[in-house]
Amino acid sequence: MRKILVSIAILGAFMTGCKTSTKSNDTKKLTIALEPKSNSIVTGTAIFTEKDGKVTFEANISGLTPGVHAIHIHEKSDCSAADGSSAGGHWNPTFQNHGKWGSDSYHKGDIGNFTADANGNGKITLVTDEWCIGCGDEKKDILGKGLIVHEEQDDFTSQPAGNAGARVACSAIIK
C-alpha cells in the first residue's frame, strides 16, 4: 500500500510539473514577409510573439532610403493594390486621434518610426499588452490586419495618419 501511495505521489508531482511546463509553452508566434509596394524594393520580415499577455513585435526591413520611416498596422490584410492602399487606413478600434504610441491619443496601429541606416536597413521592436494574436477581442486582435511601411516619418500630429508618405511595403497579418 505504501509503494502505491508513493507512486501516486510521484505521478502527481510529475503531472503537476507537466502542467506548469505546458503553461510556459503558451507562446504564439507569427512571422510575416513584407512585399514591395509603390515601385519600391523594400522587403523584410516581422515577427509577432505573444507570451504572458504581451505581444513583442520585431521587424527587420531592407531596401529603404536612409533615414526615418513610419510603420503602422492598417485595417485590412489586403496588399493587392500596387500602392498598398487596399490595406485601408490605420487600425483604430478605439476611435482615437492619430498620435505617438503611448501618448494621450493614438491608434492601436500607430507603431511609430524607425531609422534605416546608410545601407537602407532598419529595425524596430515594440512590446505591448494592447495587442493579441487571434484572441478574438476586436480592440486587441491583430490577426486580419495589414502591416505597412511608409516612405517617410510619421509626424505624430497630422490627422488621420501622420503624413508619412507612400506605402513602400505591405504584409497581411494572417496565419
Side-chain angles (χ1 to χ4, degrees), residues 65-133:
T65 56
V68 181
H69 300 270
I71 188 167
H72 302 118
I73 293 178
H74 284 245
E75 300 170 308
K76 301 173 192 169
S77 61
D78 182 353
C79 295
S80 61
D83 65 355
S85 61
S86 52
H90 288 189
W91 176 47
N92 186 15
T94 55
F95 307 103
Q96 298 292 313
N97 283 329
H98 174 72
K100 187 173 185 175
W101 186 270
S103 65
D104 288 339
S105 183
Y106 59 97
H107 302 155
K108 293 274 182 135
D110 288 341
I111 297 172
N113 292 326
F114 66 97
T115 302
D117 63 20
N119 296 318
N121 300 315
K123 292 182 183 185
I124 185 168
T125 301
L126 174 73
V127 179
T128 181
D129 62 359
E130 294 190 42
W131 297 344
C132 65
I133 302 171

Side-chain angles (χ1 to χ4, degrees), residues 22-29 48-52 133:
T22 303
K23 207 170 199 177
S24 68
N25 288 334
D26 281 350
T27 300
K28 296 178 187 176
K29 188 172 186 176
F48 296 89
T49 307
E50 183 176 357
K51 185 172 181 166
D52 298 329
I133 302 171

Side-chain angles (χ1 to χ4, degrees), residues 152-163:
E152 299 173 14
Q153 69 182 346
D154 187 327
D155 67 12
F156 302 121
T157 55
S158 297
Q159 299 300 319
N163 197 30

